[in-house]
Amino acid sequence: MATPAQARVDLAAIRHNVALLKERAGGAELMGAVKADAYGHGLVPCSEAVLEGGATRLGTAFIREALALREGGVTAPILSWLITPDEPIDAALEQGVELSAADERLLGEIAAAARRTGRTAKLHLEADTGMSRGGCPLAAWPGLLARALELRAEGVIEIIGLWSHFACADIPGHPSIEQQLEAFETALKLAEQAGAAGSHVIRHIANSAATVTLPGARYDLVRPGIAMYGLSPIPELGDFGLRPAMTLTARIGLVKRVPEGSGVSYAHLYTTDRETTLGLVPLGYADGILRHATGRAEVLAGGRRRLVAGRVCMDQFMIDMGDDPLAAGDEVVLFGPGDGGEPTVQEWADTLGTITHEIVTRIGSRVPRIHEHKGSR
Ligand SMILES: *Cc1c(COP(=O)(O)O)cnc(C)c1O
């Protein structure tokens, strides 16, 4: 079925990016962050490509995302790190999903689920080394370790990971990076002294930015997300050889000739300065084309860049095509790798004052993801 718009996802690019990151990670294992529908690229097909590229583990924020991977037939180890009250912990244990905990309340909830299901919970304990988001503050860390060791002695949990997350890894040289690494060392030492560390316990802290710039942050495993999809974690430092995986296209829905002085779209923020041809692009803010793109972002149509003309609506926006002979059904490229002169996701992010993560994760569910270059697994 032809659709008004589609996001093509190049799985070969994802395999290439993961292999490149794996090389950058030295001997460390790679856990691919596939939360938020693999950053909007499609959960199961992308996770398979991530594993084919050399990842040995997957990471999601919520348990539901991990369960969707299991339903999709993915058997690799998966860690879910954002567990809030009343999440389906029983199902996670039954499906062998590894869980993160950062306080004794959640440890208790996980232990109860382990007793109910008869499954030993595989836990990664998260330390807050200075981001002040998830994680256990170092002051409370010894207490968390002690409680975890009691539960381990009872046989309801296993401690298989110790981890943390950087606040500023994408700002090279930021003083918090060294401070967080020092705090992580302290957390690891305390775990060792308590008897919660050891060679079987995986230590991890590196996101994409740390994976490509901080060899000292690799530890046993790196946890990249954005870079796997080919988007630079530190755009100021270049593309690191990554290949963007997503190309967002639409087909022009309507073409019409209008006179000079025509006000275009809501609030008439754009007015034609001569007789011209307008094209309707069937993507709007409900599909993740931010309203803020009005008059700022560009698309490629008929071999030329065109500005989003007038306000982005819920389902559509207009482009001004001048006298170019474009027709309904012709392709418009919003962004892609950039090889054909189309804007990149990075360009959209820069234009809109945001990061690439936000552009790709917001592409809505009305836009089908078309996965190309599937592997042979
Ligand atoms: C999202 C996330 C990652 C990946 O971050 P990127 O910046 O996309 O590489 C890694 N770890 C955790 C805990 C995350 O939430």
Side-chain angles (χ1 to χ4, degrees), residues 31-35 39 59-61 79 81-82 126 133 163-166 170 204-211 222-229 233 357:
M31 174 189 288
V34 294
K35 59 194 180 185
Y39 288 43
T60 67
L79 166 63
W81 54 64
L82 185 45
E126 182 187 5
R133 189 180 69 173
W163 72 286
S164 191
H165 193 57
F166 280 115
D170 58 341
H204 50 108
I205 187 169
N207 58 1
S208 295
T211 301
V222 295
R223 235 173 32 230
I226 195 71
M228 301 195 303
Y229 309 101
H357 305 60

Side-chain angles (χ1 to χ4, degrees), residues 238-328:
D239 68 8
F240 299 95
L242 301 164
R243 239 193 273 158
M246 188 191 284
T247 300
L248 180 63
T249 65
R251 298 174 70 209
I252 297 176
L254 173 74
V255 164
K256 62 180 164 192
R257 206 64 192 159
V258 298
E260 177 189 344
S262 301
V264 178
S265 191
Y266 291 123
H268 280 180
L269 297 180
Y270 181 81
T271 304
T272 57
D273 59 6
R274 60 192 184 108
E275 184 182 313
T276 189
T277 303
L278 296 176
L280 182 156
V281 181
L283 278 168
Y285 58 77
D287 306 300
I289 310 307
L290 306 191
R291 211 158 158 268
H292 203 59
T294 301
R296 293 193 176 89
E298 288 180 350
V299 303
L300 184 74
R304 281 176 57 177
R305 295 286 193 100
R306 329 254 170 193
L307 209 59
V308 171
R311 189 153 263 170
V312 175
C313 308
M314 189 183 293
D315 315 302
Q316 52 197 307
F317 65 86
M318 304 302 289
I319 53 178
D320 185 343
M321 307 187 299
D323 296 329
D324 294 346
L326 281 149

